[in-house]
Amino acid sequence: RLFAVSGPAGATLAIDLSAAPTPKILWESKKTGPFVPSAIVVGEHYFFSNDQATAYCMDLKTGEEKWRERLGSGRMRPSPVAT
């Protein structure tokens, strides 16, 4: 799978690259995506935050939002890290 983030004005896409001959879009999220922060996959979850410091957890297979959390006040650009 490939996960593509197109920034604040665009969508986040999960793409199946093994679908021959043309890759298949598995899901698309219209949530405000990141311009600066990076996303991360951990287990069955896709984590990202936007440029307004709201973090999201999406189901890796379906794109369903599992949770969202405001990380602070003001403008921040945090990237998630797994340990």
Side-chain angles (χ1 to χ4, degrees):
R1 289 185 194 152
L2 171 71
F3 297 92
V5 180
S6 58
T12 297
L13 302 171
I15 302 167
D16 180 0
L17 297 176
S18 68
T22 304
K24 176 184 174 187
I25 295 176
L26 299 172
W27 55 263
E28 179 177 351
S29 172
K30 299 285 187 180
K31 307 243 179 266
T32 302
F35 179 68
V36 174
S38 299
I40 190 169
V41 172
V42 178
E44 296 297 315
H45 298 96
Y46 177 76
F47 297 91
F48 70 96
S49 64
N50 62 24
D51 293 333
Q52 288 75 41
T54 300
Y56 295 88
C57 175
M58 312 289 280
D59 183 278
L60 194 64
K61 293 180 182 172
T62 66
E64 173 189 357
E65 182 181 304
K66 294 297 188 179
W67 56 260
R68 100 176 72 169
E69 182 74 31
R70 179 79 175 150
L71 301 176
S73 61
R75 189 173 174 96
M76 295 188 295
R77 295 181 171 143
S79 293
V81 176
T83 58

